[in-house]
Amino acid sequence: VTRAVQGVGADHREVATHPDTGATIAGTTLPDWEAVKSLCLTHAEALSGIKLQAWDIAMCPSGPVVMEVNIGGDLNLPQLAAGAGILDERFREFLAGLDR
Protein backbone atom coordinates (compact mmCIF):
# COMPACT_ATOMS: atom_id res chain seq x y z
CA VAL A 1 0.00 0.00 0.00
CA THR A 2 1.45 3.34 -1.00
CA ARG A 3 -1.36 5.65 0.12
CA ALA A 4 -4.81 5.61 1.73
CA VAL A 5 -7.41 8.31 1.30
CA GLN A 6 -10.85 9.06 2.66
CA GLY A 7 -13.66 11.31 1.44
CA VAL A 8 -14.15 13.30 -1.73
CA GLY A 9 -13.98 16.95 -2.73
CA ALA A 10 -13.34 19.29 0.18
CA ASP A 11 -13.51 16.30 2.57
CA HIS A 12 -10.74 14.40 0.72
CA ARG A 13 -7.76 13.67 2.93
CA GLU A 14 -4.93 11.22 3.25
CA VAL A 15 -5.20 8.73 6.12
CA ALA A 16 -1.94 7.63 7.75
CA THR A 17 -3.23 5.13 10.31
CA HIS A 18 -6.06 2.61 10.61
CA PRO A 19 -8.93 4.20 12.58
CA ASP A 20 -9.45 1.14 14.84
CA THR A 21 -5.96 -0.29 15.33
CA GLY A 22 -3.77 2.78 14.85
CA ALA A 23 -1.52 0.70 12.56
CA THR A 24 0.34 2.58 9.83
CA ILE A 25 -1.30 2.00 6.44
CA ALA A 26 1.37 3.06 3.93
CA GLY A 27 3.97 0.36 3.54
CA THR A 28 1.56 -2.44 4.43
CA THR A 29 1.79 -5.47 2.16
CA LEU A 30 -1.56 -6.98 1.23
CA PRO A 31 -1.72 -10.74 1.78
CA ASP A 32 -1.61 -12.89 -1.36
CA TRP A 33 -1.17 -9.84 -3.59
CA GLU A 34 0.64 -11.83 -6.29
CA ALA A 35 -2.18 -14.42 -6.22
CA VAL A 36 -4.75 -11.60 -6.55
CA LYS A 37 -2.99 -10.19 -9.61
CA SER A 38 -2.63 -13.64 -11.16
CA LEU A 39 -6.31 -14.41 -10.57
CA CYS A 40 -7.39 -11.17 -12.25
CA LEU A 41 -5.08 -11.62 -15.23
CA THR A 42 -6.13 -15.23 -15.78
CA HIS A 43 -9.83 -14.40 -15.64
CA ALA A 44 -9.35 -11.28 -17.77
CA GLU A 45 -8.08 -13.46 -20.62
CA ALA A 46 -11.30 -15.50 -20.47
CA LEU A 47 -13.26 -12.25 -20.92
CA SER A 48 -11.01 -10.71 -23.55
CA GLY A 49 -13.99 -9.15 -25.34
CA ILE A 50 -14.42 -6.81 -22.36
CA LYS A 51 -11.59 -4.37 -22.95
CA LEU A 52 -11.92 -2.36 -19.71
CA GLN A 53 -12.46 -4.59 -16.68
CA ALA A 54 -12.71 -3.69 -13.00
CA TRP A 55 -12.44 -6.67 -10.65
CA ASP A 56 -13.82 -6.97 -7.12
CA ILE A 57 -11.74 -9.51 -5.21
CA ALA A 58 -12.32 -10.71 -1.65
CA MET A 59 -9.09 -11.45 0.18
CA CYS A 60 -10.14 -14.49 2.25
CA PRO A 61 -8.13 -16.69 4.64
CA SER A 62 -8.18 -19.44 1.99
CA GLY A 63 -6.93 -17.04 -0.71
CA PRO A 64 -8.40 -14.49 -3.11
CA VAL A 65 -11.96 -15.03 -4.40
CA VAL A 66 -13.53 -13.31 -7.40
CA MET A 67 -16.69 -11.47 -6.40
CA GLU A 68 -17.50 -9.84 -9.73
CA VAL A 69 -16.13 -8.09 -12.77
CA ASN A 70 -17.53 -4.75 -13.89
CA ILE A 71 -17.38 -3.32 -17.36
CA GLY A 72 -15.42 -0.11 -17.02
CA GLY A 73 -15.78 0.21 -13.29
CA ASP A 74 -15.81 3.35 -11.20
CA LEU A 75 -12.94 5.41 -12.59
CA ASN A 76 -13.09 7.99 -9.82
CA LEU A 77 -11.83 5.45 -7.23
CA PRO A 78 -8.31 4.93 -8.67
CA GLN A 79 -8.09 8.68 -9.27
CA LEU A 80 -8.91 9.41 -5.64
CA ALA A 81 -6.48 6.77 -4.42
CA ALA A 82 -3.64 7.92 -6.65
CA GLY A 83 -4.31 11.64 -6.29
CA ALA A 84 -4.08 12.07 -10.06
CA GLY A 85 -6.34 11.93 -13.08
CA ILE A 86 -6.51 8.69 -15.05
CA LEU A 87 -6.52 10.28 -18.52
CA ASP A 88 -2.76 10.16 -19.05
CA GLU A 89 -0.98 9.24 -22.30
CA ARG A 90 -1.02 5.50 -21.54
CA PHE A 91 -4.81 5.51 -20.98
CA ARG A 92 -5.36 7.67 -24.07
CA GLU A 93 -3.48 5.06 -26.13
CA PHE A 94 -5.60 2.30 -24.59
CA LEU A 95 -8.82 4.16 -25.44
CA ALA A 96 -7.64 4.83 -29.01
CA GLY A 97 -7.00 1.10 -29.42
CA LEU A 98 -10.59 0.20 -28.52
CA ASP A 99 -11.74 1.20 -31.99
CA ARG A 100 -9.52 -1.42 -33.62
Side-chain angles (χ1 to χ4, degrees):
V1 177
T2 58
R3 183 172 184 251
V5 296
Q6 179 179 11
V8 294
D11 295 327
H12 182 250
R13 63 185 180 89
E14 193 161 334
V15 179
T17 59
H18 188 280
D20 295 329
T21 66
T24 301
I25 297 173
T28 300
T29 299
L30 298 175
D32 296 325
W33 183 244
E34 292 303 318
V36 170
K37 291 192 306 184
S38 178
L39 183 69
C40 289
L41 292 172
T42 298
H43 284 71
E45 289 179 18
L47 300 170
S48 61
I50 303 172
K51 300 300 182 188
L52 183 57
Q53 304 173 10
W55 290 88
D56 291 344
I57 306 294
M59 300 174 89
C60 300
S62 60
V65 175
V66 174
M67 301 302 292
E68 68 177 349
V69 62
N70 295 290
I71 297 171
D74 193 348
L75 295 179
N76 76 321
L77 295 176
Q79 294 178 105
L80 288 170
I86 198 167
L87 193 57
D88 59 11
E89 187 57 35
R90 182 176 169 208
F91 196 63
R92 287 178 199 271
E93 289 174 12
F94 167 77
L95 293 173
L98 292 179
D99 292 334
R100 294 183 209 141

